[in-house]
Amino acid sequence: MANVAVMDVIADVAQLVRQAPNATLIGAYIRAARKFCRESRWYRASLPGVTTANTRLYSLGSDPYLEVLGVRAVSAQRQSGDTKIWPLGVGDTSQWDPNAQAGRPRLYAYVPEGQMALHPTPDDAYSLNITLVLQPKTGVNVVPEELLVKWDQVLQAGALAYLYALNDMPWTDPRQADLQARVFQSGINNARVDEQREYNAGTRFLQRRPFIVGRM
């Protein structure tokens, strides 16, 4: 799905907070989208990649509008004649034996910012399918359309909660800030449950991102 300009989706917020400048409205909506993605882990995308023999650490690439929060899942397949696909488990790099022999990768770990480590170090080229958890970057003025299809009202509540809570503004309203914050948090909780259910069932199509997995 495409990105959507925030100015095209905040008309209702602007009507309720009439004196807020456009930059403030956009910032509030992006702030809400980032918090929603960070706490719910709902927005994900599929990233294909290929390992390089004897290379442990990989870049998850970059995007002008999105940043990587983490890795939700990884599966692998040997490129040379083996059709078997296997899931990798989540690992803790501090527990990995640095002297372990290279071989078929069994574990992965997200390494901030935007990297992924594999264990054991791959001994060959393996195809990877990586599920990334993403959020909009600070300072952008667009959001992924997929978020809006299901969660636009929740994001509007998050923007309003922030705007109404700003001190000494013509639109400041602590009661409304508390009300909208509760709506926003309820939406985050629902999205968290939705994410886990869809992940377990494998029912939601994941958009493929133009990130490139590369050797570090």
Side-chain angles (χ1 to χ4, degrees):
M1 292 189 179
N3 289 320
V4 177
V6 173
M7 280 304 300
D8 293 340
V9 297
I10 58 172
D12 291 344
V13 175
Q15 284 294 317
L16 293 170
V17 190
R18 289 179 178 273
Q19 293 173 281
N22 286 345
T24 302
L25 295 171
I26 293 171
Y29 197 91
I30 292 296
R31 183 180 184 275
R34 284 172 58 82
K35 182 175 181 180
F36 174 87
C37 291
R38 187 170 59 252
E39 295 189 9
S40 71
R41 317 289 282 185
W42 187 88
Y43 185 59
R44 311 189 305 273
S46 178
L47 170 67
V50 179
T51 66
T52 301
N54 301 313
T55 300
R56 174 175 176 264
L57 191 64
Y58 294 84
S59 169
L60 296 173
S62 63
D63 182 281
Y65 303 112
L66 298 168
E67 62 189 15
V68 178
L69 283 171
V71 176
R72 184 68 170 86
V74 181
S75 61
Q77 178 182 18
R78 188 186 294 272
Q79 286 201 314
S80 53
D82 188 350
T83 59
K84 180 181 179 181
I85 300 174
W86 67 92
L88 277 64
V90 182
D92 179 354
T93 56
S94 67
Q95 303 297 316
W96 293 355
D97 179 3
N99 299 315
Q101 184 177 359
R104 189 184 81 168
R106 300 187 309 273
L107 300 172
Y108 74 89
Y110 176 66
V111 182
E113 302 283 340
Q115 300 174 56
M116 182 181 70
L118 299 176
H119 183 77
T121 299
D123 61 347
D124 200 350
Y126 296 88
S127 296
L128 300 176
N129 187 57
I130 307 160
T131 302
L132 300 177
V133 183
L134 305 170
Q135 69 176 358
K137 288 183 174 178
T138 300
V140 302
N141 59 4
V142 297
V143 290
E145 185 180 10
E146 189 176 4
L147 280 176
L148 304 178
V149 171
K150 195 165 188 176
W151 306 109
D152 179 47
Q153 294 299 313
V154 172
L155 299 183
Q156 288 191 41
L160 286 169
Y162 170 75
L163 291 165
Y164 282 133
L166 291 175
N167 292 326
D168 301 322
M169 294 295 177
W171 60 82
T172 299
D173 188 333
R175 188 183 68 82
Q176 278 296 322
D178 181 65
L179 175 63
Q180 295 295 335
R182 278 184 270 166
V183 172
F184 184 45
Q185 189 59 54
S186 177
I188 290 174
N189 294 341
N190 290 338
R192 191 180 293 132
V193 172
D194 187 70
E195 187 277 336
Q196 187 63 51
R197 180 176 60 249
E198 290 184 339
Y199 178 79
N200 291 340
T203 56
R204 182 153 65 93
F205 171 77
L206 295 181
Q207 179 185 9
R208 294 173 77 88
R209 296 297 311 176
F211 290 82
I212 301 298
V213 175
R215 180 174 177 173
M216 293 297 294

